[in-house]
Amino acid sequence: MKPPTYRIDPAAATRYLFFTGKGGVGKTSLSCATALHLAAAGKRVLLVSTDPASNLVEVLQTAITNQPTPVAGAAGLDAMNIDPVEAAAAYRERLIGPMRGLLPEAALRNMAEQLSGSCTVEIAAFDEFAGLIGNPAAAQNYDHVVFDTAPTGHTLRLMSLAKAWDQFLDANTSGSSCLGPLAGLAKQRAIYEATVNTLADASATTLVLVSRPQAAALHEAQRSSDELRALGVGNQRLIINGVFATDCPDDLTAVALQRRGMAAIEAAATFINSLPTSSLPLRAMNILGIQGLRGLLDDATPSLTSPPPDEWSAPAMESLASLVADIERQGNGVIMTMGKGGVGKTTIAAAIAVMLAQRGHAVHLSTTDPAAHVAQTLAGQVPGLTLSKIDPAAETAAYQAEVMLAQGAALDAAGRELLEEDLRSPCTEEIAVFRAFAREVGQGSQRFVVLDTAPTGHTLLLLDASEAYQRELERQARSSQPEAVLKLLERLRDPAFTRILLVTLPEATPVHEAAGLQDDLRRAGIEPFAWVINQSLLHCGSCDWLLQRREQSEHRYLSEVVAKHATRTAWLPWQAQEPTGPEPLARLAASSLTSIKS
């Protein structure tokens, strides 16, 4: 049974609303539409993106900075992006600025170097986030603050930091951390405590879990719900976005899409019934611009007419199997799937791993995504294929043990206590995860390693960390760096060793986010190998008016990828059944536009 339609009641809405969920489920569209409806009801609203790869600008179609900016055409609504790099620069200046003229230049340079790592980027972005919640003056001019958060794994990390830093400041006795003197952090203690309390206050905060009617998305929403409850965030509701129903009973594609959605909802019934749940129907195309967003929560029924035919011709695109055939000639190396959350990176990574293993290669499939579901996607054993996941908790514990073993023996009891205290810093997790990422990449010298990466923003921060973490480890004079860390950048930049596949859907936001990611990779000296356009409705032959319009809306983005962005493009069709298991994954990889046409 389909849940009731989602609506926001301005009179009952809490001051803070967080929209979170698996990548690609529609968090940005729903958070923007909710903010617009609150503003239309006369409320003053601040819309904030915490995603390092935010697409608020494209969805709202208005310029946004890291400061509250009025949204054109939406009275009462301001929006801002929390930019991690800009936040880190401001954070460094807050700590170093007062020392200028008091300390020698050499000392100031040393402080700047110490604060150049990704730990600083993380705490600075978190400070911006926590300040909006825990500092009463920060958002005092607004009735509501609506957060469009990064995909689930990044959001869990962000919310857990409030408690982690609060506890670390309570327990720390040395007055220092990987971020330098704790004086800069201690000033934030009251804000961190207030943030923890506000997130746990049901009268102040609502967590909106957004999902699609898909098994993987609902599974992740349930896992996130449990983890966020453990962090004290208990006032939750669920929105199932993109529910589809067809009036074409003889249309195999339309009926399969409807059945797939209903089956996922029925399978997750226990979770869905455990909290307030609502739904929204699938739309014919991407929701962009103020007018489109306002209509997202309206009851108006669109005209049920088929789109007029166009004279468009599909560009030349190849199969995923043809990319794999070229990749395997090297005999080893790293294949990384990257892109916006929800585009199918995990599925593509698993399909590549299965094909390589079935062709007799030793393959290791791993993930850097904190919210990954590689094992569920593979759902079976393949000879020659091994699986792993970078588990932040396990990696942190192993790294702490390694450092204590290497350095603790040479320290007295007081020294060991200080070292243990330093290793309890939340920054330690970031270092441990980075080292694990380098280790997984290093395995590509002996076999094929397929890495399913986290959504774009989290992946960029991980890649940007390469040089910063090397400096951080050297500063702390800890055990000599592993070879995998030392060679990481060299390996990522070697096109014969690492092949980056940018995965996208034939839609505006995923294509443009992948294009931005490609620009960032090129600035880092990393050239993508190919693009993969996933879940295309091209030539599906549907008689359903909505699917016809969605297929036609793909045309411009298919042409844009091939003509403007990619040197090679693989194309994959929408699947009636979610490709889970070795054989469905192998069939997916072999799909081609020619075979679909025929």
Side-chain angles (χ1 to χ4, degrees):
M1 179 178 175
K2 187 182 78 170
T5 302
Y6 169 65
R7 294 291 177 264
I8 183 70
D9 180 1
T14 57
R15 183 157 194 251
Y16 302 98
L17 296 106
F18 291 85
F19 286 77
T20 189
K22 181 175 164 59
V25 295
K27 297 184 301 294
T28 299
S29 296
L30 285 173
S31 60
C32 289
T34 298
L36 281 166
H37 275 253
L38 289 171
K43 305 287 188 177
R44 285 282 299 156
V45 184
L46 176 61
L47 176 62
V48 183
S49 174
T50 68
D51 191 344
S54 170
N55 61 326
L56 270 189
V57 171
E58 179 161 43
V59 173
L60 289 174
Q61 296 188 335
T62 190
I64 296 170
T65 70
N66 64 340
Q67 297 296 321
T69 305
V71 175
L77 176 61
D78 292 349
M80 64 179 285
N81 283 324
I82 294 180
D83 184 301
V85 175
E86 291 183 8
Y91 180 85
R92 282 192 294 272
E93 182 58 28
R94 285 201 304 273
L95 293 183
I96 297 172
M99 303 298 175
R100 288 197 173 91
L102 301 176
L103 294 177
E105 278 300 314
L108 295 175
R109 283 196 300 272
N110 183 61
M111 288 179 66
E113 179 73 12
Q114 181 179 333
L115 294 170
S116 65
S118 285
C119 293
T120 303
V121 173
E122 181 183 64
I123 189 62
F126 169 68
D127 267 4
E128 298 282 328
F129 163 77
L132 290 168
I133 304 168
N135 181 0
Q140 62 183 353
N141 296 326
Y142 300 98
D143 301 303
H144 300 281
V145 182
V146 179
F147 289 89
D148 169 35
T149 73
T152 310
H154 195 274
T155 298
L156 287 168
R157 172 69 174 162
L158 189 67
M159 289 190 167
S160 68
L161 281 174
K163 186 171 289 187
W165 277 111
D166 189 38
Q167 292 173 345
F168 180 67
L169 289 171
D170 270 339
N172 187 282
T173 59
S174 67
S176 65
S177 74
C178 56
L179 294 166
L182 281 181
L185 290 177
K187 293 176 182 176
Q188 302 292 100
R189 178 189 294 270
I191 291 177
Y192 294 169
E193 290 176 348
T195 299
V196 171
N197 293 335
T198 301
L199 290 174
D201 184 354
S203 67
T205 299
T206 302
L207 183 86
V208 183
L209 295 154
V210 184
S211 179
R212 292 280 184 181
Q214 299 165 352
L218 285 163
H219 175 79
E220 185 162 320
Q222 182 172 1
R223 185 187 62 81
S224 303
S225 174
D226 293 341
E227 293 193 26
L228 287 162
R229 285 187 195 282
L231 291 172
V233 187
N235 185 23
Q236 303 178 6
R237 66 176 300 172
L238 174 67
I239 300 175
I240 303 176
N241 186 31
V243 176
F244 174 71
T246 184
D247 292 325
C248 292
D250 298 324
D251 186 327
L252 296 180
T253 300
V255 170
L257 181 59
Q258 178 176 307
R259 286 177 177 170
R260 185 164 142 180
M262 290 301 104
I265 290 173
E266 289 170 9
T270 301
F271 165 59
I272 290 171
N273 293 332
S274 71
L275 69 171
T277 300
S278 50
S279 66
L280 281 172
L282 183 68
R283 301 291 174 167
M285 57 192 67
N286 276 7
I287 304 297
L288 299 175
I290 299 299
Q291 289 307 116
L293 289 165
R294 283 183 173 139
L296 182 61
L297 304 188
D298 287 345
D299 291 316
T301 301
S303 173
L304 303 181
T305 57
S306 298
D310 58 14
E311 300 302 318
W312 179 84
S313 296
M317 296 175 286
E318 55 189 299
S319 68
L320 185 61
S322 67
L323 295 182
V324 174
D326 284 350
I327 288 171
E328 74 169 329
R329 292 192 182 102
Q330 187 70 21
N332 66 284
V334 174
I335 303 102
M336 299 175 67
T337 56
M338 294 186 180
K340 178 177 170 60
V343 296
K345 296 185 300 296
T346 300
T347 299
I348 303 304
I352 292 170
V354 166
M355 285 204 89
L356 287 169
Q358 289 180 340
R359 293 182 183 193
H361 298 283
V363 184
H364 182 66
L365 174 60
S366 186
T367 180
T368 67
D369 189 347
H373 50 96
V374 167
Q376 294 97 309
T377 300
L378 196 59
Q381 293 186 342
V382 179
L385 175 59
T386 58
L387 295 179
S388 73
K389 174 182 176 180
I390 295 177
D391 183 312
E395 296 296 343
T396 301
Y399 175 66
Q400 290 168 331
E402 176 188 328
V403 173
M404 288 302 301
L405 181 64
Q407 298 183 34
L411 300 174
D412 58 18
R416 285 195 297 274
E417 186 176 341
L418 287 175
L419 180 59
E420 287 176 344
E421 186 174 89
D422 190 27
L423 288 169
R424 285 194 292 270
S425 161
C427 292
T428 300
E429 180 180 310
E430 292 294 296
I431 296 173
V433 169
F434 167 76
R435 283 163 54 99
F437 169 64
R439 182 190 66 225
E440 298 289 71
V441 169
Q443 290 191 55
S445 58
Q446 289 90 35
R447 69 192 78 186
F448 281 111
V449 174
V450 184
L451 277 171
D452 166 37
T453 72
T456 307
H458 195 276
T459 296
L460 282 175
L461 291 178
L462 192 61
L463 293 174
D464 288 345
S466 297
E467 292 174 312
Y469 275 126
Q470 290 182 42
R471 290 194 301 268
E472 173 63 19
L473 291 168
E474 289 167 357
R475 181 191 71 78
Q476 296 182 36
R478 292 189 176 159
S479 55
S480 59
Q481 297 178 55
E483 180 188 26
V485 172
L486 292 170
K487 290 189 173 182
L488 178 60
L489 274 178
E490 174 189 335
R491 285 167 168 161
L492 293 176
R493 288 169 174 163
D494 181 359
F497 187 89
T498 299
R499 294 168 181 85
I500 306 291
L501 299 182
L502 297 178
V503 184
T504 185
L505 303 179
E507 300 171 7
T509 299
V511 166
H512 297 153
E513 186 166 312
L517 172 58
Q518 180 167 261
D519 291 341
D520 287 328
L521 290 169
R522 284 173 171 167
R523 280 192 289 271
I526 301 170
E527 182 64 29
F529 176 69
W531 283 52
V532 179
I533 299 176
N534 193 25
Q535 299 179 33
S536 173
L537 288 168
L538 186 62
H539 298 314
C540 71
S542 177
C543 69
D544 186 276
W545 74 273
L546 188 146
L547 296 188
Q548 289 176 357
R549 287 188 176 276
R550 287 186 71 88
E551 179 185 351
Q552 194 174 93
S553 71
E554 289 184 3
H555 295 176
R556 63 179 293 187
Y557 302 110
L558 293 168
S559 296
E560 179 182 336
V561 169
V562 175
K564 184 177 179 181
H565 302 305
T567 54
R568 295 182 70 172
T569 306
W571 174 92
L572 294 171
W574 180 83
Q575 300 289 297
Q577 298 292 327
E578 291 193 54
T580 299
E583 292 313 312
L585 287 167
R587 286 196 299 272
L588 174 66
S591 301
S592 68
L593 198 55
T594 302
S595 65
I596 297 297
K597 284 181 178 178
S598 61

